[in-house]
Amino acid sequence: MGVKYSSKINKIRTFALSLIFIGFFVMYGGIFFRTSPIVMTIFMILGLLFIIASTVVYFWIGMLSTKTVQVVCPSCNKVTKMLGRVDICMYCNEPLTLDPTLEGKEFDEKYNRKTRNKKS
Ligand SMILES: [Zn+2]
């Protein structure tokens, strides 16, 4: 499939990944409190919460990726996906904005047609 996500989603993915690392780090920290089972349990639960949080964030990414809009970047002419009204191109970091009046179902069709005409 090779599905690529927008820069915003990439940032959220990085955040979710860091949550997993924080979770494992906290759980690992619990080992140093082996002598007190209560503190160790708190660390383990805390670490587990971070990992659960990252799972939620990953699930959220899945929801968001269905809402991305495919557009052709006006700067590098590559097809990129954007999330929301404002995002940046994942190839050249060109800021992209959707005109609120063009936002909606017909938007990408119009845009693609326009770009195709430009190329031919
Ligand atoms: Zn671009």
Side-chain angles (χ1 to χ4, degrees):
M1 296 280 269
V3 181
K4 282 174 183 171
Y5 301 107
S6 75
S7 331
K8 261 183 202 169
I9 288 176
N10 281 339
K11 272 178 202 163
I12 301 166
R13 278 165 80 96
T14 310
F15 173 68
L17 195 71
S18 59
L19 275 180
I20 290 177
F21 279 111
I22 291 166
F24 278 116
F25 189 74
V26 170
M27 281 169 104
Y28 182 75
I31 294 169
F32 295 101
F33 297 93
R34 263 177 303 201
T35 45
S36 127
I38 297 160
V39 178
M40 197 176 123
T41 309
I42 289 167
F43 268 85
M44 291 296 168
I45 290 167
L46 215 68
L48 203 66
L49 282 176
F50 273 109
I51 290 161
I52 290 166
S54 83
T55 313
V56 172
V57 172
Y58 269 117
F59 183 74
W60 183 45
I61 293 166
M63 302 277 283
L64 284 178
S65 61
T66 61
K67 289 178 186 169
T68 52
V69 181
Q70 213 173 32
V71 295
V72 177
C73 175
S75 173
C76 64
N77 285 323
K78 281 178 181 165
V79 176
T80 184
K81 280 181 179 180
M82 57 183 293
L83 181 66
R85 271 187 207 167
V86 184
D87 208 343
I88 56 166
C89 173
M90 57 187 182
Y91 299 105
C92 66
N93 290 341
E94 169 85 12
L96 301 168
T97 48
L98 278 179
D99 190 333
T101 55
L102 291 175
E103 207 180 347
K105 44 199 160 100
E106 286 158 78
F107 177 75
D108 12 348
E109 243 188 302
K110 272 183 194 167
Y111 208 105
N112 287 338
R113 221 176 290 148
K114 208 190 281 174
T115 315
R116 226 173 276 144
N117 289 347
K118 223 184 272 171
K119 274 179 188 167
S120 57

